[in-house]
Amino acid sequence: MPTAEKLRRRALVRFLLSAALVLLCLFLLQRLVTPKYAGDIVEGALISEYYAEAKDHDLIFIGDCEVYENFSPKVLWEEYGVNSFIRGSAQQLIWQSYYLLEETLHYETPRAVVFNVLALQYNEPQREAYNRMTLDGMRWSGSKLKSILASMTEEESLVEYLFPLLRYHTRWSELTPEDAEYLFKDYRPSHNGFLMRVDVRPAENVPEGRILADYSFGDRAWSYLEKMRLLCEEKGVQLILVKAPSLYPYWYPQWEEQVEDYAAEHGLLYINYLDLIDETGLDFSTDTYDAGLHLNLSGAEKISRHLGQLLREDLGFPDRRGEEPLSSRWQEKLAAYEAERESQLAALGKI
Amino acid sequence: MLFTSYAFLGFLCVLFPLYYLIPTRHQWKLLLLASCLFYFAAGPTYLLYILTTALTVYYAARRIGALGAEQSAYLKEHKAELDREGRKAYKDSVKKRQRRWLLFALLLNLGILAVVKYTNFAIRNLNGLLSLFGSGRQLSFWNIALPMGISFYTFQALSYLIDVYRGVSPAQQNPFRFILFVSFFPQLVQGPISRYKDLSPSLFAEHPFDAHTLCRGLQRVLWGFFKKLVIADRMLSAVNTLIRGGDYTGAYAFAGMLFYALELYADFTGGIDITIGVAEALGVTVQENFIRPYFSKSIKEYWRRWHISMGTWFTDYIFYPISVCRPMLRLSRFGRAHLGEQLGKRLPIWLSSFAVWLATGIWHGASWNFVAWGLGNWLVIMISQELEPLYERFHRRFSVAEKGWFRLFQVVRTVLLMSALRMFDCYRDVPLTFRMFFSMFTARNWAVLFDGSLLTLGLTGLDFAILAGGLVLLLTVSLRQRRGSVRDAVAARPYPLRFCLWFGLFLVVLFMGAYGIGYDESQFIYNQF
């Protein structure tokens, strides 16, 4: 006959085992239903790629599609010996960029940070789908929590970020083989954050911007740019502002003026690649894959060359191509880059 | 704070451990604090309404109780001096003073309810009359918010007041305990309307931690979430498509009628399961509000099994008092003298029932469709009642009453009849309800029920499959409940099996529940009453 103490102990063991089983099941199910972004939309897989990297970059790009589609870290390394990484995701809002930068500077201190200024146009949270692509990939930290709180739209809930299972519970009916394949590993679609596209869809015209009631960037957007500047200043990192050469969304002269004034006021380097089309050799009949919204591989490599030259010659970035084990790591990356280029060209029937 | 919100789950996650960690003598105080926080979260100003009701009813009941005690003491003290007439005169004078307190609290609180709930209804009707008589003048609507659960807590507080007046319940001496009785958070959203004598013993008692009680309560909560999230809220988009606008006639109206009946059942009983389960997990016993109403064989039986606390409230506090009031007794005497014994006896019942159903309709909402719904129920019940002898003769003649198929027929008939009456509730427009109801008999589009057209209403094939599975489970559990508690039956099984059953149900709610982004966050339908 078991004693009361034994019965209590047995009940406790049973409870603990049951709780462990429940937690394990929920953990596995959460992993299963959380999107892997390994299908048509791969942009959601970009942010998490950084954590597998050795954290000794010279340059970090921060921004939206105008950085991860338009700059090639491979060119910066291969031709100028600059080790760079892009922390960008689709429609990455400026406060998300700020918190990603805060997180990145917690891991490492690069020589410079390049921020693409198009995100200044957004002063409010936009869409949950884009928030998720930026935020789900971040590791849990104070920066992630602050980024979530700054980014949530009215329909979103912090609880669903803490427990993504609650957000993605309906995905059980649309699971694909990729969900099982990437259950315990991350899908890695980029090359140091650069998303390669080799196809071409020429730009046929330069779209006109619609008239806006107010061309001033919002206070919130400005405040995060200022925070970014101060953070870089505190960490001794040079902040470089860029505007990628996308034909649309339209970059208004009034916006340009505000950014130029801000850069001048704080002594920041600002490069607008829309003004450097001839200098970089960009040709919108061959260097874009979606009629001017984003550059393709050819276009991205052209402006990366321009930037690399500036980093080396004007800003004195050292050539690290002889450094080990960095150089060996890059050998693997260059091979993967070339393989994907060839694979995409083959898929298009061009080789 | 909706029961299905993350905030509510977080609220419970904090409350439960605290409740069982603090000394048991303070548990009721924690419940009071939690109830005030819960109500405050719904709207800070609402707290004023509920406190006004609680405090005025508390004070009036105390005065009534004190007068009663005073009377007992006086009569005891002056037993020798008072003759029968003297005692009666004294009692009458006390009763009169007690009645004043009763009327004061009744009028004040029903007045508050009437003002916040029915002012705009009255203005809308006045504006209609003004237009009818050609006046260009229109009254402006009041911008007044309806406090959450006002109909429920007002009725609950008034039932206590009347019970104290009748001497059924003692007057509560502690105002804070009384505030807790009125505001106990699980039943604030949609009832049930508990009686003081039923709720107060366990509400104010001390409850040491008991894992079994906690588990049983949480199991009931889980079952409530299953009904609400997997069935009711999934059904919502189809119901909204079918009933809004009145474009879906004929077979669509029929489908909408049944869908709404199912949605309402799953929504309301699911909410009550959550209420009873949360209370049970806290050691508090809340009375059952449903006994498988869709298994009823008549409308009368249905109303004894659906929203029981409301039905008994109207019976005890409206039907009986009206039935035995002096004018009604006079009317009965007059009827028996002039219309015959049978008719004369029934007249007060018809009129009292009419008053009950009119009040029930109005209680449900400030619009004519609810009045029509209430009176529709009255009409059907009265007709059924009058035809009862005929039915009994038919049952005896053909010996069908005990036959399974006939009982099934009666159940289906009740479901269809109740669902048809609910159309007043779901269309919220009396002429439209009639139009849609009659379209079921005139439109010839029954093929839409089978040709895939139902898949255009906002529900996919998978949604229908989940609903069908949910219904099968609901029906199975309901059938099993006739033989006793399903939770007890599960508890008697080996641990691995019951673990799998409850965890399986949890996963079903988690993965098949209609919640989060992409679903309309639906508040409980009875929340609006």
Side-chain angles (χ1 to χ4, degrees):
Chain A
M1 190 76 174
T3 61
E5 180 57 32
K6 264 188 183 167
L7 283 174
R8 253 202 310 276
R9 204 176 303 151
R10 196 183 293 171
L12 182 67
V13 169
R14 197 166 66 180
F15 171 75
L16 290 175
L17 283 176
S18 306
L21 185 61
V22 166
L23 291 177
L24 179 70
C25 285
L26 292 179
F27 169 75
L28 290 175
L29 289 167
Q30 176 161 287
R31 293 285 309 185
L32 185 66
V33 295
T34 302
K36 314 297 183 297
Y37 298 105
D40 293 338
I41 300 167
V42 297
E43 287 86 341
L46 297 176
I47 291 296
S48 64
E49 289 190 67
Y50 174 74
Y51 303 108
E53 280 286 303
K55 312 289 191 301
D56 63 346
H57 299 105
D58 307 305
L59 181 71
I60 295 288
F61 291 90
I62 296 271
D64 51 17
C65 57
E66 291 206 353
V67 290
Y68 70 73
E69 300 267 19
N70 295 349
F71 292 95
S72 167
K74 174 257 186 184
V75 171
L76 293 179
W77 171 258
E78 197 173 42
E79 297 180 23
Y80 303 98
V82 174
N83 183 24
S84 65
F85 197 92
I86 300 170
R87 296 215 75 188
S89 60
Q91 205 185 73
Q92 186 170 295
L93 302 168
I94 189 165
W95 41 91
Q96 294 168 344
S97 289
Y98 168 75
Y99 290 115
L100 269 176
L101 176 64
E102 187 181 79
E103 186 204 41
T104 309
L105 296 188
H106 179 73
Y107 287 111
E108 60 179 324
T109 309
R111 284 173 166 267
V113 164
V114 170
F115 172 65
N116 186 74
V117 293
L118 182 69
L120 279 165
Q121 67 177 309
Y122 297 116
N123 201 46
E124 298 295 335
Q126 298 293 308
R127 286 176 59 189
E128 193 242 358
Y130 288 121
N131 284 345
R132 284 285 175 179
M133 282 197 255
T134 305
L135 299 167
D136 279 350
M138 280 180 85
R139 276 193 186 159
W140 275 103
S141 65
S143 300
K144 175 166 178 167
L145 186 64
K146 286 183 276 182
S147 189
I148 291 170
L149 293 173
S151 306
M152 280 192 303
T153 56
E154 271 183 25
E155 61 180 0
E156 290 179 80
S157 157
L158 178 62
V159 179
E160 291 182 352
Y161 280 97
L162 292 169
F163 305 104
L165 177 60
L166 296 172
R167 172 63 188 93
Y168 299 117
H169 66 281
T170 54
R171 278 199 76 240
W172 61 270
S173 59
E174 49 198 59
L175 293 175
T176 61
E178 283 82 18
D179 287 299
E181 189 183 344
Y182 295 103
L183 191 60
F184 294 113
K185 60 181 181 185
D186 289 335
Y187 176 61
R188 305 193 63 184
S190 82
H191 302 274
N192 274 33
F194 169 62
L195 206 54
M196 184 192 294
R197 287 286 295 263
V198 301
D199 46 328
V200 179
R201 189 174 146 220
E204 285 162 5
N205 53 37
V206 179
E208 278 298 310
R210 62 189 171 86
I211 294 169
L212 303 182
D214 183 5
Y215 292 91
S216 308
F217 292 128
D219 291 343
R220 196 165 180 226
W222 275 125
S223 75
Y224 276 97
L225 181 60
E226 182 65 4
K227 284 171 90 160
M228 211 180 276
R229 184 185 71 76
L230 292 173
L231 180 64
C232 287
E233 201 172 277
E234 182 195 323
K235 296 279 183 180
V237 177
Q238 180 172 6
L239 178 63
I240 302 169
L241 305 179
V242 297
K243 170 66 191 84
S246 298
L247 296 181
Y248 60 93
Y250 188 74
W251 183 248
Y252 294 91
Q254 294 88 337
W255 289 359
E256 172 70 6
E257 200 178 322
Q258 290 172 70
V259 176
E260 279 176 356
D261 289 349
Y262 182 83
E265 186 185 339
H266 297 287
L268 301 177
L269 174 60
Y270 171 51
I271 312 161
N272 182 350
Y273 280 102
L274 283 166
D275 294 339
L276 300 172
I277 302 290
D278 293 336
E279 211 171 311
T280 53
L282 272 182
D283 178 353
F284 278 98
S285 64
T286 57
D287 293 337
T288 169
Y289 72 84
D290 52 8
L293 179 58
H294 303 106
L295 300 182
N296 58 17
L297 178 64
S298 153
E301 289 190 342
K302 283 179 184 170
I303 67 162
S304 299
R305 269 184 206 106
H306 180 275
L307 181 68
Q309 203 168 353
L310 185 139
L311 295 174
R312 278 289 301 281
E313 290 173 9
D314 296 356
L315 303 181
F317 272 53
D319 184 346
R320 299 177 65 194
R321 277 175 287 189
E323 264 183 42
E324 283 299 344
L326 183 60
S327 191
S328 305
R329 287 202 305 266
W330 266 107
Q331 283 311 310
E332 285 174 32
K333 291 179 181 208
L334 294 178
Y337 187 93
E338 192 54 33
E340 182 172 356
R341 191 182 75 83
E342 284 179 8
S343 155
Q344 286 197 25
L345 286 172
L348 293 169
K350 293 192 174 172
I351 54 172
Chain B
M1 204 188 301
L2 284 174
F3 279 176
T4 49
S5 66
Y6 298 131
F8 183 67
L9 295 180
F11 174 76
L12 292 184
C13 286
V14 174
L15 177 66
F16 284 148
L18 268 181
Y19 186 75
Y20 287 113
L21 281 173
I22 60 171
T24 50
R25 67 180 184 282
H26 296 307
Q27 283 175 324
W28 73 268
K29 294 171 195 162
L30 179 65
L31 286 186
L32 174 63
L33 181 69
S35 298
C36 289
L37 274 175
F38 181 86
Y39 211 68
F40 185 81
T45 52
Y46 295 168
L47 206 53
L48 289 176
Y49 286 96
I50 198 167
L51 285 177
T52 304
T53 296
L55 291 174
T56 53
V57 170
Y58 161 78
Y59 188 69
R62 266 203 76 171
R63 292 304 307 146
I64 291 168
L67 284 167
E70 203 177 290
Q71 173 183 281
S72 303
Y74 180 86
L75 291 177
K76 202 173 169 186
E77 198 180 327
H78 300 86
K79 198 175 175 183
E81 304 152 32
L82 290 169
D83 59 5
R84 198 176 164 188
E85 285 302 308
R87 274 204 302 276
K88 189 172 179 304
Y90 178 75
K91 278 184 181 175
D92 285 348
S93 76
V94 170
K95 199 76 191 164
K96 203 170 164 185
R97 284 159 69 196
Q98 285 181 315
R99 194 175 299 132
R100 273 192 209 136
W101 281 110
L102 174 75
L103 285 176
F104 155 73
L106 280 179
L107 290 176
L108 178 75
N109 288 291
L110 289 175
I112 293 172
L113 180 63
V115 168
V116 298
K117 195 163 174 180
Y118 303 105
T119 302
N120 284 335
F121 177 55
I123 290 173
R124 200 176 309 123
N125 287 303
L126 274 173
N127 284 342
L129 283 175
L130 287 170
S131 301
L132 195 68
F133 292 110
S135 166
R137 195 167 164 227
Q138 291 282 288
L139 302 170
S140 311
F141 288 105
W142 279 24
N143 185 17
I144 188 162
L146 189 64
M148 181 178 75
I150 187 169
S151 304
F152 290 101
Y153 73 68
T154 302
F155 274 37
Q156 180 158 312
L158 295 184
S159 77
Y160 158 80
L161 179 71
I162 298 168
D163 285 351
V164 171
Y165 175 76
R166 287 175 177 173
V168 175
S169 287
Q172 170 57 256
Q173 301 300 307
N174 185 328
F176 296 105
R177 284 185 185 241
F178 185 69
I179 293 171
L180 173 59
F181 166 70
V182 175
S183 66
F184 182 46
F185 75 90
Q187 52 174 49
L188 263 183
V189 179
Q190 53 182 354
I193 307 167
S194 294
R195 303 295 174 87
Y196 185 77
K197 65 180 167 50
D198 296 329
L199 183 63
S200 59
S202 61
L203 185 62
F204 305 136
E206 296 180 17
H207 304 284
F209 176 72
D210 174 18
H212 178 69
T213 306
L214 182 68
C215 277
R216 275 184 68 84
L218 294 180
Q219 288 163 359
R220 183 82 186 252
V221 171
L222 183 60
W223 182 239
F225 275 118
F226 169 77
K227 286 184 189 172
K228 169 69 177 161
L229 295 176
V230 179
I231 300 178
D233 285 0
R234 190 168 292 277
M235 193 67 105
L236 188 69
S237 59
V239 171
N240 282 344
T241 308
L242 283 167
I243 68 176
R244 306 293 169 226
D247 296 330
Y248 289 92
T249 56
Y252 283 120
F254 179 73
M257 176 185 94
L258 292 181
F259 285 2
Y260 181 72
L262 175 64
E263 185 210 342
L264 181 69
Y265 174 77
D267 185 282
F268 194 13
T269 61
I272 291 293
D273 284 329
I274 296 172
T275 294
I276 295 176
V278 169
E280 196 175 343
L282 295 164
V284 178
T285 307
V286 171
Q287 296 298 304
E288 291 294 338
N289 212 24
F290 295 91
I291 309 172
R292 300 176 300 286
Y294 281 139
F295 286 178
S296 305
K297 294 193 283 293
S298 68
I299 293 238
K300 214 169 160 187
E301 185 190 345
Y302 170 90
W303 276 111
R304 284 199 300 270
R305 298 167 67 160
W306 172 281
H307 205 347
I308 298 165
S309 62
M310 183 199 70
T312 53
W313 198 99
F314 280 109
T315 306
D316 291 349
Y317 302 112
I318 295 188
F319 181 80
Y320 289 138
I322 292 181
S323 303
V324 298
C325 69
R326 276 194 204 131
M328 203 56 89
L329 293 176
R330 275 204 294 272
L331 181 70
S332 177
R333 275 198 297 275
F334 175 85
R336 271 185 286 190
H338 295 89
L339 304 167
E341 187 66 21
Q342 287 300 317
L343 202 57
K345 258 194 330 203
R346 285 182 195 147
L347 206 55
I349 296 172
W350 290 346
L351 289 178
S352 306
S353 298
F354 181 85
V356 164
W357 283 106
L358 184 64
T360 306
I362 291 173
W363 180 86
H364 273 82
S367 57
W368 287 109
N369 65 291
F370 286 112
V371 175
W373 170 79
L375 296 183
N377 275 284
W378 172 76
L379 194 64
V380 173
I381 289 172
M382 288 301 107
I383 291 172
S384 309
Q385 202 165 291
E386 293 310 311
L387 293 178
E388 225 160 68
L390 197 68
Y391 290 154
E392 275 173 22
R393 274 212 298 279
F394 173 80
H395 295 162
R396 275 200 304 274
R397 172 80 177 78
F398 296 101
S399 309
V400 291
E402 293 310 310
K403 296 226 162 66
W405 66 265
F406 187 71
R407 284 210 298 268
L408 182 65
F409 159 75
Q410 287 176 307
V411 166
V412 172
R413 181 188 61 188
T414 308
V415 169
L416 290 177
L417 208 49
M418 282 318 301
S419 304
L421 283 168
R422 283 284 178 202
M423 289 174 79
F424 284 113
D425 178 7
C426 75
Y427 286 105
R428 309 259 159 139
D429 179 317
V430 179
L432 177 64
T433 303
F434 279 113
R435 190 158 62 81
M436 300 310 284
F437 179 74
F438 288 114
S439 80
M440 289 194 270
F441 303 98
T442 54
R444 295 176 190 281
N445 60 346
W446 293 95
V448 301
L449 297 181
F450 312 102
D451 66 3
S453 302
L454 294 182
L455 295 174
T456 62
L457 303 173
L459 294 181
T460 63
L462 184 66
D463 288 322
F464 277 109
I466 292 171
L467 281 171
L471 273 180
V472 169
L473 184 58
L474 200 57
L475 193 64
T476 309
V477 168
S478 298
L479 287 168
R480 178 60 186 76
Q481 275 174 339
R482 296 189 302 182
R483 287 189 280 135
S485 162
V486 174
R487 281 182 294 167
D488 287 344
V490 174
R493 300 281 173 182
Y495 182 77
L497 179 63
R498 58 180 199 265
F499 172 80
C500 289
L501 282 173
W502 289 116
F503 187 49
L505 183 65
F506 173 74
L507 290 180
V508 166
V509 174
L510 193 64
F511 285 96
M512 296 183 187
Y515 63 90
I517 295 174
Y519 292 99
D520 287 338
E521 200 176 45
S522 162
Q523 64 171 346
F524 288 88
I525 296 174
Y526 261 71
N527 210 0
Q528 304 151 36
F529 304 142

